[in-house]
């Protein structure tokens, strides 16, 4: 129940009641009457979960489920509207396109979607996930996972990031979480990986590794649309995302560095964005499990790339 202290707990009494609860809360989310994306049901055994899976289509494809087999708890994440799905899909798609521009074959990364993965005492479905072609078994974990949600669920998203890293035993290398704040048109992106624990721990028999690997937030990026953006030809501060035509090293995968034609017709002033913490770096070796061979390289989302992604996202959902 970590990070879900404010979520009411329902007693599981059957699929029909569960379906009704999912539908009611999804309607509240879509109507803007609630920001609560999670439902929790207690008393859900493995047998119950199997029956729920068989009825998944009638419950809703917009759901993601986490099951705690030790506590018989089912946590349902609701993603009923465009903004819930587009955030992770659009960033994950841009990541895949970047690898294709390096010359990787189309089937080099396998999309896993909402596949269920089983940890030590629980199971979970990702929003978006990918594994390299070298992981051939059906049960192989993804190397990179994308999760998204409203800003109110940020604590839970961080818990999910830790779940992927810990329960996969390190097989999941990168978790990207995206937190959405519609009222402020802000996107918050965090990258989580395993990293040695900070602070020196004494070496003992029970603690042979003084600096064990722990889930760690490696990057934190905020992308906020500036209010009432006005067209301007003046130079912008470096914290404001502007198109870039600076040549990048060939080993770095850039999403777009081509200057736009000067005659492009604008329907109105394009929004500008205040961005902190850029660039977002997704390491090639962690995702593909091998060293890059030029022109392959880390996927780097520059300030301009993140601005374009955010602008497209808000145009899609507003």
């Amino acid at each position: 129940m970590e990070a879900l202290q404010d979520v009411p707990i329902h007693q599981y009494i059957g699929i029909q009641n569960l379906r009704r609860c999912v539908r009611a809360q999804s309607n509240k989310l879509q109507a803007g009457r609630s920001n609560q994306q999670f439902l929790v049901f207690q008393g859900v055994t493995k047998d119950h979960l199997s029956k729920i899976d068989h009825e998944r289509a009638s419950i809703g494809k917009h759901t993601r489920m986490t099951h705690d087999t030790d506590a018989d708890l089912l946590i349902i994440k609701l993603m009923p509207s465009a903004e819930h799905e587009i955030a992770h899909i659009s960033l994950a798609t841009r990541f895949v396109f970047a690898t294709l521009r390096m010359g990787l074959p189309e089937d080099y990364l396998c999309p896993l979607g909402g596949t269920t993965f089983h940890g030590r005492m629980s199971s979970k479905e990702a929003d978006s996930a990918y594994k390299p072609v070298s992981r051939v078994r059906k049960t192989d974990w993804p190397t990179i996972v994308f999760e998204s949600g409203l800003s109110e669920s940020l604590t839970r998203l961080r818990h999910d990031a830790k779940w992927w890293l810990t329960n996969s035993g390190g097989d999941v290398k990168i978790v990207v979480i995206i937190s959405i704040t519609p009222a402020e048109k802000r996107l918050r992106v965090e990258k989580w990986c395993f990293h040695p624990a900070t602070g020196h721990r004494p070496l003992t028999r029970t603690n042979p590794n003084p600096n064990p690997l722990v889930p760690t937030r490696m990057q934190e990026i905020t992308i906020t649309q500036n209010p009432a953006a006005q067209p301007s030809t003046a130079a912008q501060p470096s914290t404001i995302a502007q198109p870039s035509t600076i040549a990048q090293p060939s080993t770095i995968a850039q999403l777009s560095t081509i200057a736009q034609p000067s005659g492009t017709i604008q329907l109105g002033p394009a929004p500008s964005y205040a961005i902190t913490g850029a660039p977002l770096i997704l390491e090639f070796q962690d995702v593909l499990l091998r060293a890059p061979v030029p022109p392959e390289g880390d996927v780097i989302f520059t300030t301009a790339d993140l601005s374009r992604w955010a602008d497209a996202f808000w145009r899609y959902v507003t």
Side-chain angles (χ1 to χ4, degrees), residues 109-235:
L109 277 173
C110 175
L112 299 171
T115 302
T116 300
F117 289 90
H118 297 272
R120 296 163 190 167
M121 296 300 295
S122 57
S123 60
K124 181 168 172 50
E125 301 165 347
D127 290 342
S128 292
Y130 296 85
K131 67 178 180 180
V133 68
S134 58
R135 289 191 172 175
V136 296
R137 293 179 302 179
K138 185 177 180 180
T139 56
D140 281 340
W141 291 81
T143 51
I144 185 167
V145 172
F146 295 82
E147 297 268 8
S148 66
L150 296 174
S151 56
E152 290 81 2
S153 64
L154 178 57
T155 302
R156 181 64 198 184
L157 290 173
R158 289 170 175 164
H159 177 269
D160 290 344
K162 296 173 186 177
W163 188 96
W164 286 108
L165 296 168
T166 302
N167 282 273
S168 70
D171 283 353
V172 173
K173 305 297 183 182
I174 299 173
V175 182
V176 177
I177 63 175
I178 306 163
S179 173
I180 309 162
T181 309
E184 300 173 13
K185 290 200 170 179
R186 175 181 297 135
L187 296 170
R188 180 190 183 104
V189 181
E190 295 182 1
K191 182 179 79 171
W192 286 74
C193 306
F194 262 140
H195 192 265
T198 57
H200 179 72
R201 300 184 181 186
L203 186 65
T204 65
R205 277 186 194 173
T206 57
N207 184 31
N209 183 359
N211 294 106
L213 296 176
V214 296
T216 306
R217 182 176 59 199
M218 304 300 294
Q219 283 194 265
E220 177 183 333
I221 300 166
T222 60
I223 311 161
T224 308
Q225 187 177 114
N226 292 315
Q230 298 296 324
S232 173
T233 57

Side-chain angles (χ1 to χ4, degrees), residues 50-89:
S50 178
K51 294 175 182 177
I52 290 169
D53 280 338
H54 281 106
E55 297 291 331
R56 193 63 176 273
S58 67
I59 295 171
K61 294 181 179 179
H62 64 284
T63 59
R64 302 288 187 275
M65 295 188 181
T66 301
H67 185 241
D68 187 328
T69 55
D70 192 35
D72 286 342
L73 280 177
L74 178 65
I75 302 167
I76 302 180
K77 179 181 178 182
L78 305 174
M79 305 179 69
S81 66
E83 63 189 21
H84 298 114
E85 294 282 12
I86 290 174
H88 68 88
I89 292 175

